[in-house]
Amino acid sequence: MELSPTERTRLRRLREQGRSDRAALFAVLGAGFVCHLGVVLDGAPMVVPTVYGFDDDFLYFHGSVASRSLAGGQTVCVTVTHVDGLVLARSVFEHGVNYRSAMVYGLPRALDGDDKLAGLRVLSEHAAPGQWDYARRPSRKELAATSIFALSLDEASVKIAEGPPGDGDGPDAALGLWAGVVPIESVRRPPEPDPALPGDITAPAHITALAT
Amino acid sequence: MELSPTERTRLRRLREQGRSDRAALFAVLGAGFVCHLGVVLDGAPMVVPTVYGFDDDFLYFHGSVASRSLAGGQTVCVTVTHVDGLVLARSVFEHGVNYRSAMVYGLPRALDGDDKLAGLRVLSEHAAPGQWDYARRPSRKELAATSIFALSLDEASVKIAEGPPGDGDGPDAALGLWAGVVPIESVRRPPEPDPALPGDITAPAHITALAT
């Protein structure tokens, strides 16, 4: 008996689940620091990678690349995706990807003054905890040349696909083919010093801690 | 002497370069299989992760998640990004990310019949070479339930940021702070068999070859 597309869809849904809890959202946002920012520019979509950070209520992102389209005040979509595995099933149709992805929609607010400094700090501490107190902080001029936006986390969704392929208990299991997952992982290697760095300056603990 | 923002911008530009050669485009597209697809839906941008493949002229992507907005025939933006490192400079301002990113703009064409099968094959062989001949190919019904789009590679751009932080020869070098890069790498682990798989079915060579 061949499964109907509807039944297949059901199986795939078990692998791929929407999550609405905040903990899932924070877990996905916490696992990376580069998002894809979608804006509309001259009627067409534009998707640019940019760095982000977040707190309980807002996602903060670097907006210089999209500043022209963000200036007008428009809804954006920020998507953060982690690819966790390549799912190899018995049939091409059941192949897929294990992933965790969060989408946040909203009208971003351009930050100024102390708010901008605070947003930049969240962003910096998210990507490299400890650097805010270690590195030289932005001058007034540098801060003016930086665009930081805050996006409410109110309208957010999370989708997670995980586990083995969904056709292990279907008719294709009888084909005798190998099926499973090739796990994919993002790994941070030990810090590599700037060649311009004098040899007596060693990486402080908060930097060596950044390696996986 | 403090560098002016313009000079800083120049330094940053040396780290971050646009590339217009096809070889650079193919190298970025070849290094992954999940892209971020940007569409406009009800006037707002939507950015969704999806799988892709490519040949000399087209990028092929799975379009089921965005089928509603793609049905009308609209320009999309497909962005592929690889995060290669976290750049830790002497100043917060000079912090950044090493990355390779490709953006492709165009009006995608929904594929049908043999074209759809050929597009799906490109996509499948890109993510998992050898699976097209190994796994069960799509039935007519499965193919009908699959949306594959072809997007011309004519309008594409590549941006690459690499190397150490740009402030190694600036006034901040005198601060005596550590600076460098935390390399980030996407690693494929050895294949994990589906728990439903009988023990006597071992992974064929084209699958074990998928691990990094």
mmCIF file of all heavy atoms in Angstrom, chain A residues 5 36 46-47 79 81 90 92 95 105 131 134 136 172 178-179 181 183 185 187 189 192 194, chain B residues 36 45-47 79 81 90 92 95 105 131 134 136 172 178-179 181 183 185 187 189 192 194:
data_model
loop_
_atom_site.group_PDB
_atom_site.id
_atom_site.type_symbol
_atom_site.label_atom_id
_atom_site.label_comp_id
_atom_site.label_asym_id
_atom_site.label_seq_id
_atom_site.Cartn_x
_atom_site.Cartn_y
_atom_site.Cartn_z
ATOM 1 N N PRO A 5 -0.373 11.240 -0.075
ATOM 2 C CA PRO A 5 0.371 12.471 0.233
ATOM 3 C C PRO A 5 -0.044 13.079 1.571
ATOM 4 O O PRO A 5 0.767 13.638 2.279
ATOM 5 C CB PRO A 5 0.003 13.398 -0.918
ATOM 6 C CG PRO A 5 -0.320 12.481 -2.049
ATOM 7 C CD PRO A 5 -0.941 11.259 -1.421
ATOM 8 N N HIS A 36 19.420 36.733 9.245
ATOM 9 C CA HIS A 36 19.129 37.247 7.912
ATOM 10 C C HIS A 36 17.972 38.235 8.040
ATOM 11 O O HIS A 36 16.883 37.879 8.473
ATOM 12 C CB HIS A 36 18.809 36.109 6.947
ATOM 13 C CG HIS A 36 20.052 35.448 6.428
ATOM 14 N ND1 HIS A 36 20.704 34.464 7.118
ATOM 15 C CD2 HIS A 36 20.796 35.683 5.311
ATOM 16 C CE1 HIS A 36 21.795 34.099 6.432
ATOM 17 N NE2 HIS A 36 21.874 34.819 5.333
ATOM 18 N N MET A 46 14.868 42.248 -0.053
ATOM 19 C CA MET A 46 16.321 42.205 0.048
ATOM 20 C C MET A 46 16.644 41.459 1.340
ATOM 21 O O MET A 46 16.088 41.781 2.391
ATOM 22 C CB MET A 46 16.911 43.616 0.091
ATOM 23 C CG MET A 46 18.435 43.617 0.202
ATOM 24 S SD MET A 46 19.186 45.263 0.012
ATOM 25 C CE MET A 46 18.870 45.959 1.641
ATOM 26 N N VAL A 47 17.514 40.483 1.254
ATOM 27 C CA VAL A 47 17.872 39.674 2.426
ATOM 28 C C VAL A 47 19.366 39.827 2.676
ATOM 29 O O VAL A 47 20.173 39.459 1.833
ATOM 30 C CB VAL A 47 17.527 38.185 2.196
ATOM 31 C CG1 VAL A 47 17.933 37.351 3.406
ATOM 32 C CG2 VAL A 47 16.045 38.013 1.901
ATOM 33 N N THR A 79 15.252 36.467 10.371
ATOM 34 C CA THR A 79 15.241 35.019 10.488
ATOM 35 C C THR A 79 16.612 34.513 10.932
ATOM 36 O O THR A 79 17.634 34.928 10.392
ATOM 37 C CB THR A 79 14.848 34.369 9.139
ATOM 38 O OG1 THR A 79 13.551 34.840 8.783
ATOM 39 C CG2 THR A 79 14.822 32.850 9.231
ATOM 40 N N THR A 81 18.634 30.924 11.532
ATOM 41 C CA THR A 81 18.528 29.503 11.214
ATOM 42 C C THR A 81 19.802 28.755 11.575
ATOM 43 O O THR A 81 20.896 29.226 11.297
ATOM 44 C CB THR A 81 18.258 29.307 9.710
ATOM 45 O OG1 THR A 81 17.099 30.050 9.340
ATOM 46 C CG2 THR A 81 18.032 27.832 9.372
ATOM 47 N N ARG A 90 14.652 6.915 2.639
ATOM 48 C CA ARG A 90 14.652 5.853 1.606
ATOM 49 C C ARG A 90 14.205 6.406 0.268
ATOM 50 O O ARG A 90 14.592 5.902 -0.772
ATOM 51 C CB ARG A 90 13.699 4.719 2.003
ATOM 52 C CG ARG A 90 14.205 3.806 3.122
ATOM 53 C CD ARG A 90 13.753 4.312 4.449
ATOM 54 N NE ARG A 90 14.194 3.466 5.566
ATOM 55 C CZ ARG A 90 14.282 3.946 6.803
ATOM 56 N NH1 ARG A 90 13.993 5.210 7.082
ATOM 57 N NH2 ARG A 90 14.679 3.147 7.778
ATOM 58 N N VAL A 92 13.648 9.966 -2.230
ATOM 59 C CA VAL A 92 14.069 11.356 -2.422
ATOM 60 C C VAL A 92 13.054 12.296 -1.788
ATOM 61 O O VAL A 92 13.409 13.282 -1.138
ATOM 62 C CB VAL A 92 14.226 11.656 -3.937
ATOM 63 C CG1 VAL A 92 14.369 13.151 -4.173
ATOM 64 C CG2 VAL A 92 15.411 10.901 -4.509
ATOM 65 N N HIS A 95 13.500 13.162 1.871
ATOM 66 C CA HIS A 95 14.749 13.812 2.280
ATOM 67 C C HIS A 95 14.444 15.185 2.881
ATOM 68 O O HIS A 95 13.439 15.807 2.557
ATOM 69 C CB HIS A 95 15.685 13.982 1.081
ATOM 70 C CG HIS A 95 16.500 12.765 0.793
ATOM 71 N ND1 HIS A 95 15.939 11.540 0.484
ATOM 72 C CD2 HIS A 95 17.847 12.555 0.775
ATOM 73 C CE1 HIS A 95 16.895 10.655 0.282
ATOM 74 N NE2 HIS A 95 18.068 11.248 0.453
ATOM 75 N N TYR A 105 8.924 39.217 13.253
ATOM 76 C CA TYR A 105 8.365 40.285 12.425
ATOM 77 C C TYR A 105 8.141 41.521 13.264
ATOM 78 O O TYR A 105 7.769 41.419 14.435
ATOM 79 C CB TYR A 105 6.983 39.891 11.883
ATOM 80 C CG TYR A 105 6.995 38.995 10.687
ATOM 81 C CD1 TYR A 105 6.781 37.633 10.831
ATOM 82 C CD2 TYR A 105 7.187 39.508 9.410
ATOM 83 C CE1 TYR A 105 6.765 36.794 9.732
ATOM 84 C CE2 TYR A 105 7.170 38.679 8.305
ATOM 85 C CZ TYR A 105 6.950 37.328 8.471
ATOM 86 O OH TYR A 105 6.938 36.504 7.378
ATOM 87 N N GLN A 131 33.782 41.243 25.994
ATOM 88 C CA GLN A 131 34.492 42.207 25.156
ATOM 89 C C GLN A 131 34.110 43.658 25.464
ATOM 90 O O GLN A 131 34.907 44.566 25.258
ATOM 91 C CB GLN A 131 34.233 41.932 23.665
ATOM 92 C CG GLN A 131 35.112 40.836 23.069
ATOM 93 C CD GLN A 131 36.601 41.188 23.069
ATOM 94 O OE1 GLN A 131 37.316 40.894 24.019
ATOM 95 N NE2 GLN A 131 37.065 41.829 22.007
ATOM 96 N N TYR A 134 36.368 44.808 27.944
ATOM 97 C CA TYR A 134 37.775 44.615 27.601
ATOM 98 C C TYR A 134 38.236 45.568 26.492
ATOM 99 O O TYR A 134 39.280 46.215 26.613
ATOM 100 C CB TYR A 134 37.994 43.158 27.175
ATOM 101 C CG TYR A 134 39.422 42.813 26.815
ATOM 102 C CD1 TYR A 134 40.391 42.649 27.794
ATOM 103 C CD2 TYR A 134 39.793 42.641 25.477
ATOM 104 C CE1 TYR A 134 41.705 42.332 27.461
ATOM 105 C CE2 TYR A 134 41.103 42.314 25.127
ATOM 106 C CZ TYR A 134 42.050 42.161 26.125
ATOM 107 O OH TYR A 134 43.344 41.865 25.790
ATOM 108 N N ARG A 136 38.133 48.798 23.673
ATOM 109 C CA ARG A 136 37.816 50.223 23.777
ATOM 110 C C ARG A 136 36.377 50.462 23.327
ATOM 111 O O ARG A 136 35.971 50.052 22.248
ATOM 112 C CB ARG A 136 38.778 51.052 22.911
ATOM 113 C CG ARG A 136 38.464 52.561 22.975
ATOM 114 C CD ARG A 136 39.433 53.421 22.208
ATOM 115 N NE ARG A 136 39.428 53.192 20.774
ATOM 116 C CZ ARG A 136 38.441 53.563 19.951
ATOM 117 N NH1 ARG A 136 37.341 54.139 20.416
ATOM 118 N NH2 ARG A 136 38.535 53.321 18.651
ATOM 119 N N ASP A 172 8.447 2.098 2.162
ATOM 120 C CA ASP A 172 9.803 2.209 1.615
ATOM 121 C C ASP A 172 10.866 1.546 2.493
ATOM 122 O O ASP A 172 11.988 1.300 2.038
ATOM 123 C CB ASP A 172 10.183 3.682 1.386
ATOM 124 C CG ASP A 172 9.448 4.272 0.180
ATOM 125 O OD1 ASP A 172 9.042 3.490 -0.702
ATOM 126 O OD2 ASP A 172 9.265 5.503 0.132
ATOM 127 N N TRP A 178 19.849 2.230 3.136
ATOM 128 C CA TRP A 178 20.318 2.914 4.328
ATOM 129 C C TRP A 178 19.559 4.236 4.462
ATOM 130 O O TRP A 178 19.278 4.925 3.468
ATOM 131 C CB TRP A 178 21.818 3.194 4.247
ATOM 132 C CG TRP A 178 22.388 3.685 5.563
ATOM 133 C CD1 TRP A 178 22.923 2.916 6.552
ATOM 134 C CD2 TRP A 178 22.458 5.043 6.018
ATOM 135 N NE1 TRP A 178 23.316 3.700 7.612
ATOM 136 C CE2 TRP A 178 23.041 5.014 7.314
ATOM 137 C CE3 TRP A 178 22.067 6.274 5.486
ATOM 138 C CZ2 TRP A 178 23.257 6.161 8.069
ATOM 139 C CZ3 TRP A 178 22.278 7.418 6.234
ATOM 140 C CH2 TRP A 178 22.870 7.366 7.516
ATOM 141 N N ALA A 179 19.249 4.600 5.681
ATOM 142 C CA ALA A 179 18.601 5.893 5.933
ATOM 143 C C ALA A 179 19.081 6.405 7.275
ATOM 144 O O ALA A 179 19.395 5.623 8.175
ATOM 145 C CB ALA A 179 17.083 5.747 5.935
ATOM 146 N N VAL A 181 20.767 10.261 9.361
ATOM 147 C CA VAL A 181 21.043 11.692 9.384
ATOM 148 C C VAL A 181 22.550 11.940 9.377
ATOM 149 O O VAL A 181 23.298 11.230 10.059
ATOM 150 C CB VAL A 181 20.430 12.341 10.651
ATOM 151 C CG1 VAL A 181 20.818 13.807 10.773
ATOM 152 C CG2 VAL A 181 18.905 12.185 10.658
ATOM 153 N N PRO A 183 24.757 14.537 10.831
ATOM 154 C CA PRO A 183 24.685 15.708 11.732
ATOM 155 C C PRO A 183 25.617 16.822 11.248
ATOM 156 O O PRO A 183 26.714 16.541 10.753
ATOM 157 C CB PRO A 183 25.165 15.154 13.075
ATOM 158 C CG PRO A 183 25.097 13.673 12.961
ATOM 159 C CD PRO A 183 25.305 13.362 11.511
ATOM 160 N N GLU A 185 27.265 20.600 12.466
ATOM 161 C CA GLU A 185 27.497 21.374 13.684
ATOM 162 C C GLU A 185 28.361 22.584 13.369
ATOM 163 O O GLU A 185 29.299 22.488 12.585
ATOM 164 C CB GLU A 185 28.228 20.471 14.674
ATOM 165 C CG GLU A 185 28.042 20.844 16.116
ATOM 166 C CD GLU A 185 28.851 19.896 17.011
ATOM 167 O OE1 GLU A 185 28.930 18.696 16.690
ATOM 168 O OE2 GLU A 185 29.414 20.381 18.004
ATOM 169 N N VAL A 187 31.154 24.876 14.642
ATOM 170 C CA VAL A 187 32.201 24.729 15.651
ATOM 171 C C VAL A 187 33.065 25.983 15.696
ATOM 172 O O VAL A 187 33.423 26.536 14.662
ATOM 173 C CB VAL A 187 33.068 23.490 15.303
ATOM 174 C CG1 VAL A 187 34.258 23.403 16.223
ATOM 175 C CG2 VAL A 187 32.225 22.221 15.378
ATOM 176 N N ARG A 189 36.662 27.396 16.588
ATOM 177 C CA ARG A 189 38.037 26.950 16.813
ATOM 178 C C ARG A 189 38.734 27.885 17.797
ATOM 179 O O ARG A 189 38.269 29.006 18.048
ATOM 180 C CB ARG A 189 38.793 26.949 15.495
ATOM 181 C CG ARG A 189 38.140 26.127 14.390
ATOM 182 C CD ARG A 189 38.233 24.657 14.684
ATOM 183 N NE ARG A 189 37.647 23.842 13.609
ATOM 184 C CZ ARG A 189 37.260 22.581 13.755
ATOM 185 N NH1 ARG A 189 37.335 21.995 14.933
ATOM 186 N NH2 ARG A 189 36.771 21.897 12.747
ATOM 187 N N GLU A 192 42.631 32.837 16.885
ATOM 188 C CA GLU A 192 43.884 33.058 16.157
ATOM 189 C C GLU A 192 44.288 34.510 16.298
ATOM 190 O O GLU A 192 43.562 35.405 15.870
ATOM 191 C CB GLU A 192 43.696 32.723 14.675
ATOM 192 C CG GLU A 192 43.424 31.245 14.425
ATOM 193 C CD GLU A 192 43.153 30.935 12.961
ATOM 194 O OE1 GLU A 192 43.023 31.877 12.143
ATOM 195 O OE2 GLU A 192 43.051 29.742 12.642
ATOM 196 N N ASP A 194 45.770 38.181 15.785
ATOM 197 C CA ASP A 194 46.100 39.106 14.697
ATOM 198 C C ASP A 194 47.608 39.047 14.478
ATOM 199 O O ASP A 194 48.377 39.198 15.438
ATOM 200 C CB ASP A 194 45.670 40.515 15.149
ATOM 201 C CG ASP A 194 45.921 41.575 14.083
ATOM 202 O OD1 ASP A 194 46.629 41.297 13.105
ATOM 203 O OD2 ASP A 194 45.381 42.684 14.248
ATOM 204 N N HIS B 36 18.545 31.485 2.384
ATOM 205 C CA HIS B 36 17.423 32.242 2.924
ATOM 206 C C HIS B 36 16.719 32.934 1.758
ATOM 207 O O HIS B 36 17.319 33.735 1.048
ATOM 208 C CB HIS B 36 17.894 33.246 3.986
ATOM 209 C CG HIS B 36 18.112 32.598 5.317
ATOM 210 N ND1 HIS B 36 19.287 31.965 5.656
ATOM 211 C CD2 HIS B 36 17.275 32.446 6.387
ATOM 212 C CE1 HIS B 36 19.167 31.462 6.883
ATOM 213 N NE2 HIS B 36 17.969 31.740 7.352
ATOM 214 N N PRO B 45 8.130 41.871 4.084
ATOM 215 C CA PRO B 45 9.122 40.869 3.701
ATOM 216 C C PRO B 45 8.943 39.593 4.514
ATOM 217 O O PRO B 45 8.493 39.638 5.659
ATOM 218 C CB PRO B 45 10.449 41.546 4.056
ATOM 219 C CG PRO B 45 10.114 42.494 5.152
ATOM 220 C CD PRO B 45 8.703 42.948 4.917
ATOM 221 N N MET B 46 9.245 38.456 3.885
ATOM 222 C CA MET B 46 9.242 37.185 4.609
ATOM 223 C C MET B 46 10.531 36.474 4.229
ATOM 224 O O MET B 46 10.857 36.373 3.042
ATOM 225 C CB MET B 46 8.030 36.346 4.233
ATOM 226 C CG MET B 46 8.003 34.997 4.942
ATOM 227 S SD MET B 46 6.456 34.050 4.698
ATOM 228 C CE MET B 46 6.742 33.395 3.057
ATOM 229 N N VAL B 47 11.269 36.020 5.220
ATOM 230 C CA VAL B 47 12.550 35.355 4.968
ATOM 231 C C VAL B 47 12.468 33.935 5.506
ATOM 232 O O VAL B 47 12.293 33.741 6.716
ATOM 233 C CB VAL B 47 13.721 36.105 5.648
ATOM 234 C CG1 VAL B 47 15.038 35.388 5.397
ATOM 235 C CG2 VAL B 47 13.798 37.542 5.145
ATOM 236 N N THR B 79 19.629 34.548 -0.481
ATOM 237 C CA THR B 79 20.923 34.844 0.128
ATOM 238 C C THR B 79 21.502 33.590 0.781
ATOM 239 O O THR B 79 20.801 32.880 1.499
ATOM 240 C CB THR B 79 20.776 35.979 1.166
ATOM 241 O OG1 THR B 79 20.282 37.137 0.483
ATOM 242 C CG2 THR B 79 22.107 36.318 1.814
ATOM 243 N N THR B 81 24.726 32.453 3.128
ATOM 244 C CA THR B 81 25.768 33.023 3.969
ATOM 245 C C THR B 81 26.521 31.944 4.745
ATOM 246 O O THR B 81 25.905 31.043 5.301
ATOM 247 C CB THR B 81 25.165 34.021 4.990
ATOM 248 O OG1 THR B 81 24.413 35.004 4.272
ATOM 249 C CG2 THR B 81 26.252 34.712 5.808
ATOM 250 N N ARG B 90 40.586 45.742 18.704
ATOM 251 C CA ARG B 90 40.942 46.478 19.929
ATOM 252 C C ARG B 90 39.779 47.372 20.380
ATOM 253 O O ARG B 90 39.637 47.664 21.561
ATOM 254 C CB ARG B 90 42.168 47.362 19.699
ATOM 255 C CG ARG B 90 43.490 46.613 19.618
ATOM 256 C CD ARG B 90 43.823 46.271 18.200
ATOM 257 N NE ARG B 90 45.092 45.552 18.056
ATOM 258 C CZ ARG B 90 45.331 44.763 16.998
ATOM 259 N NH1 ARG B 90 44.408 44.581 16.063
ATOM 260 N NH2 ARG B 90 46.477 44.151 16.906
ATOM 261 N N VAL B 92 35.501 48.192 20.135
ATOM 262 C CA VAL B 92 34.196 47.599 19.836
ATOM 263 C C VAL B 92 33.790 47.932 18.403
ATOM 264 O O VAL B 92 33.282 47.088 17.661
ATOM 265 C CB VAL B 92 33.134 48.113 20.837
ATOM 266 C CG1 VAL B 92 31.732 47.744 20.376
ATOM 267 C CG2 VAL B 92 33.396 47.557 22.237
ATOM 268 N N HIS B 95 34.955 45.597 15.682
ATOM 269 C CA HIS B 95 34.540 44.193 15.730
ATOM 270 C C HIS B 95 33.726 43.847 14.489
ATOM 271 O O HIS B 95 33.087 44.709 13.890
ATOM 272 C CB HIS B 95 33.711 43.936 16.986
ATOM 273 C CG HIS B 95 34.543 43.667 18.200
ATOM 274 N ND1 HIS B 95 35.443 44.580 18.689
ATOM 275 C CD2 HIS B 95 34.629 42.580 19.004
ATOM 276 C CE1 HIS B 95 36.036 44.072 19.761
ATOM 277 N NE2 HIS B 95 35.565 42.858 19.973
ATOM 278 N N TYR B 105 19.190 37.883 -7.162
ATOM 279 C CA TYR B 105 17.881 38.495 -7.382
ATOM 280 C C TYR B 105 17.296 37.996 -8.691
ATOM 281 O O TYR B 105 18.035 37.789 -9.659
ATOM 282 C CB TYR B 105 18.016 40.016 -7.543
ATOM 283 C CG TYR B 105 18.144 40.790 -6.274
ATOM 284 C CD1 TYR B 105 19.385 41.221 -5.828
ATOM 285 C CD2 TYR B 105 17.017 41.122 -5.529
ATOM 286 C CE1 TYR B 105 19.516 41.962 -4.672
ATOM 287 C CE2 TYR B 105 17.136 41.856 -4.372
ATOM 288 C CZ TYR B 105 18.387 42.279 -3.938
ATOM 289 O OH TYR B 105 18.498 43.004 -2.793
ATOM 290 N N GLN B 131 22.713 10.271 -3.941
ATOM 291 C CA GLN B 131 21.417 9.840 -3.432
ATOM 292 C C GLN B 131 20.366 9.681 -4.530
ATOM 293 O O GLN B 131 19.437 8.886 -4.400
ATOM 294 C CB GLN B 131 20.883 10.827 -2.378
ATOM 295 C CG GLN B 131 21.436 10.632 -0.984
ATOM 296 C CD GLN B 131 21.043 9.304 -0.358
ATOM 297 O OE1 GLN B 131 21.732 8.298 -0.516
ATOM 298 N NE2 GLN B 131 19.933 9.273 0.347
ATOM 299 N N TYR B 134 20.578 6.326 -5.626
ATOM 300 C CA TYR B 134 20.466 5.335 -4.549
ATOM 301 C C TYR B 134 19.050 5.247 -3.984
ATOM 302 O O TYR B 134 18.501 4.160 -3.830
ATOM 303 C CB TYR B 134 21.454 5.697 -3.439
ATOM 304 C CG TYR B 134 21.470 4.742 -2.268
ATOM 305 C CD1 TYR B 134 22.067 3.488 -2.378
ATOM 306 C CD2 TYR B 134 20.887 5.104 -1.051
ATOM 307 C CE1 TYR B 134 22.079 2.617 -1.297
ATOM 308 C CE2 TYR B 134 20.900 4.228 0.028
ATOM 309 C CZ TYR B 134 21.496 2.986 -0.097
ATOM 310 O OH TYR B 134 21.506 2.124 0.960
ATOM 311 N N ARG B 136 14.826 5.920 -3.604
ATOM 312 C CA ARG B 136 13.697 5.793 -4.532
ATOM 313 C C ARG B 136 13.341 7.171 -5.090
ATOM 314 O O ARG B 136 13.133 8.111 -4.336
ATOM 315 C CB ARG B 136 12.480 5.176 -3.820
ATOM 316 C CG ARG B 136 11.262 5.057 -4.749
ATOM 317 C CD ARG B 136 10.067 4.388 -4.105
ATOM 318 N NE ARG B 136 9.496 5.136 -2.981
ATOM 319 C CZ ARG B 136 8.817 6.278 -3.099
ATOM 320 N NH1 ARG B 136 8.623 6.838 -4.283
ATOM 321 N NH2 ARG B 136 8.340 6.875 -2.012
ATOM 322 N N ASP B 172 44.796 52.346 18.065
ATOM 323 C CA ASP B 172 44.327 51.440 19.112
ATOM 324 C C ASP B 172 45.283 50.281 19.369
ATOM 325 O O ASP B 172 45.176 49.598 20.400
ATOM 326 C CB ASP B 172 42.938 50.886 18.757
ATOM 327 C CG ASP B 172 41.855 51.950 18.931
ATOM 328 O OD1 ASP B 172 42.086 52.910 19.695
ATOM 329 O OD2 ASP B 172 40.787 51.821 18.302
ATOM 330 N N TRP B 178 44.497 42.206 23.362
ATOM 331 C CA TRP B 178 44.522 41.082 22.437
ATOM 332 C C TRP B 178 43.520 41.343 21.319
ATOM 333 O O TRP B 178 42.438 41.898 21.542
ATOM 334 C CB TRP B 178 44.152 39.781 23.159
ATOM 335 C CG TRP B 178 44.393 38.559 22.295
ATOM 336 C CD1 TRP B 178 45.534 37.826 22.245
ATOM 337 C CD2 TRP B 178 43.475 37.959 21.363
ATOM 338 N NE1 TRP B 178 45.398 36.809 21.331
ATOM 339 C CE2 TRP B 178 44.149 36.861 20.773
ATOM 340 C CE3 TRP B 178 42.175 38.242 20.968
ATOM 341 C CZ2 TRP B 178 43.560 36.040 19.807
ATOM 342 C CZ3 TRP B 178 41.576 37.437 20.000
ATOM 343 C CH2 TRP B 178 42.266 36.341 19.430
ATOM 344 N N ALA B 179 43.870 40.945 20.117
ATOM 345 C CA ALA B 179 42.955 41.058 18.980
ATOM 346 C C ALA B 179 43.202 39.891 18.047
ATOM 347 O O ALA B 179 44.326 39.380 17.958
ATOM 348 C CB ALA B 179 43.179 42.378 18.254
ATOM 349 N N VAL B 181 40.939 36.560 15.621
ATOM 350 C CA VAL B 181 39.717 35.974 15.073
ATOM 351 C C VAL B 181 39.420 34.645 15.765
ATOM 352 O O VAL B 181 40.334 33.855 16.003
ATOM 353 C CB VAL B 181 39.874 35.739 13.552
ATOM 354 C CG1 VAL B 181 38.665 35.013 12.980
ATOM 355 C CG2 VAL B 181 40.094 37.061 12.816
ATOM 356 N N PRO B 183 37.850 31.480 14.657
ATOM 357 C CA PRO B 183 37.340 30.837 13.440
ATOM 358 C C PRO B 183 36.086 30.000 13.735
ATOM 359 O O PRO B 183 35.994 29.374 14.797
ATOM 360 C CB PRO B 183 38.488 29.931 12.994
ATOM 361 C CG PRO B 183 39.689 30.395 13.750
ATOM 362 C CD PRO B 183 39.168 30.966 15.037
ATOM 363 N N GLU B 185 33.441 27.132 11.946
ATOM 364 C CA GLU B 185 33.405 26.181 10.855
ATOM 365 C C GLU B 185 32.170 25.313 10.952
ATOM 366 O O GLU B 185 31.775 24.904 12.039
ATOM 367 C CB GLU B 185 34.660 25.294 10.960
ATOM 368 C CG GLU B 185 35.130 24.692 9.682
ATOM 369 C CD GLU B 185 36.343 23.809 9.924
ATOM 370 O OE1 GLU B 185 37.188 24.172 10.781
ATOM 371 O OE2 GLU B 185 36.445 22.759 9.278
ATOM 372 N N VAL B 187 30.737 21.796 10.433
ATOM 373 C CA VAL B 187 31.336 20.466 10.351
ATOM 374 C C VAL B 187 30.247 19.406 10.176
ATOM 375 O O VAL B 187 29.210 19.462 10.832
ATOM 376 C CB VAL B 187 32.155 20.183 11.635
ATOM 377 C CG1 VAL B 187 32.651 18.753 11.670
ATOM 378 C CG2 VAL B 187 33.326 21.168 11.743
ATOM 379 N N ARG B 189 29.299 15.597 10.778
ATOM 380 C CA ARG B 189 29.711 14.443 11.566
ATOM 381 C C ARG B 189 29.398 13.149 10.796
ATOM 382 O O ARG B 189 28.605 13.164 9.853
ATOM 383 C CB ARG B 189 28.962 14.431 12.906
ATOM 384 C CG ARG B 189 29.128 15.703 13.737
ATOM 385 C CD ARG B 189 30.527 15.846 14.257
ATOM 386 N NE ARG B 189 30.670 17.038 15.101
ATOM 387 C CZ ARG B 189 31.849 17.589 15.383
ATOM 388 N NH1 ARG B 189 32.967 17.089 14.884
ATOM 389 N NH2 ARG B 189 31.921 18.661 16.151
ATOM 390 N N GLU B 192 24.480 9.120 11.152
ATOM 391 C CA GLU B 192 23.834 8.349 12.225
ATOM 392 C C GLU B 192 22.652 7.591 11.639
ATOM 393 O O GLU B 192 21.710 8.202 11.135
ATOM 394 C CB GLU B 192 23.339 9.298 13.320
ATOM 395 C CG GLU B 192 24.471 10.002 14.050
ATOM 396 C CD GLU B 192 23.976 11.003 15.081
ATOM 397 O OE1 GLU B 192 22.761 11.296 15.116
ATOM 398 O OE2 GLU B 192 24.820 11.513 15.836
ATOM 399 N N ASP B 194 19.178 5.701 11.038
ATOM 400 C CA ASP B 194 17.803 5.724 11.536
ATOM 401 C C ASP B 194 17.641 4.565 12.518
ATOM 402 O O ASP B 194 17.980 3.426 12.186
ATOM 403 C CB ASP B 194 16.875 5.538 10.320
ATOM 404 C CG ASP B 194 15.407 5.596 10.691
ATOM 405 O OD1 ASP B 194 15.080 5.537 11.892
ATOM 406 O OD2 ASP B 194 14.591 5.710 9.767
#
